[in-house]
């Protein structure tokens, strides 16, 4: 049986905006289920209508990114986690890195490394840490 790890991100009220942006960047199929979309009997008690119960982006190649607004309002537990994305070519790697960095903070500029033609790290405007790189099989 194969094991697959699927990142699940928690937000403090801006999950919908974050996933809308990630959908712009990565494409794929976006699903967002808000508290107000559920029958009243199934809603999060005290939760706002626009509270995101679950969001997901499913990419054509099989990748999945999921998330929700954290019911505690804290954005979830803070642990040292980054979402790592590996792309097929350098132009796409630069495009994704720049799009995620827009409004965020670059922690490590996108540049050649000993393990990848391009690799960099950033924290996006939603506070999510990303590691972005071109596949090592591509030319530098």
């Amino acid at each position: 049986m194969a094991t697959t790890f699927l990142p699940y991100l928690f937000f403090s009220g801006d999950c919908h905006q974050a996933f809308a942006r990630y959908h712009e960047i990565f494409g794929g199929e976006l699903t967002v289920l808000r508290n107000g979309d559920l029958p009243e009997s199934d809603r999060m008690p005290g939760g706002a209508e626009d509270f995101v119960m679950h969001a997901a982006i499913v990419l054509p190649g099989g990748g999945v990114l999921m998330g929700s607004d954290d019911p505690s309002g804290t954005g979830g537990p803070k642990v040292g986690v980054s979402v790592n994305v590996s792309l097929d070519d350098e132009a796409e790697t630069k495009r994704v890195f720049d799009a995620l960095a827009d409004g965020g903070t670059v922690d490590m500029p996108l540049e050649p490394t000993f393990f990848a033609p391009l690799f960099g790290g950033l924290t996006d405007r939603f506070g999510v840490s990303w590691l972005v790189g071109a596949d090592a099989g591509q030319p530098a």
Side-chain angles (χ1 to χ4, degrees):
M1 178 160 87
T3 300
T4 302
F5 291 100
L6 302 171
Y8 200 98
L9 307 173
F10 289 99
F11 296 86
S12 296
D14 55 0
C15 181
H16 187 259
Q17 295 93 328
F19 270 73
R21 179 67 177 146
Y22 301 153
H23 185 245
E24 288 174 11
I25 295 169
F26 296 106
E29 183 179 333
L30 173 64
T31 302
V32 177
L33 176 64
R34 294 187 193 113
N35 200 33
D37 297 333
L38 299 172
E40 197 157 332
S41 61
D42 294 332
R43 292 181 185 175
M44 176 72 65
E49 292 280 312
D50 62 347
F51 177 91
V52 175
M53 302 290 291
H54 179 72
I57 295 174
V58 178
L59 300 174
V64 179
L65 182 65
M66 297 182 290
S68 69
D69 284 317
D70 176 33
S72 73
T74 65
K78 301 299 180 214
V79 294
V81 175
S82 293
V83 178
N84 185 63
V85 60
S86 182
L87 299 146
D88 290 336
D89 66 60
E90 291 183 31
E92 181 67 356
T93 301
K94 289 176 186 176
R95 184 194 69 77
V96 166
F97 186 89
D98 291 344
L100 289 169
D102 182 27
T105 305
V106 173
D107 304 311
M108 179 184 170
L110 190 63
E111 58 190 17
T113 66
F114 71 92
F115 56 86
L118 288 174
F119 183 82
L122 62 99
T123 302
D124 71 17
R125 66 177 117 178
F126 304 104
V128 175
S129 175
W130 292 85
L131 300 173
V132 181
D135 283 337
Q138 301 297 316

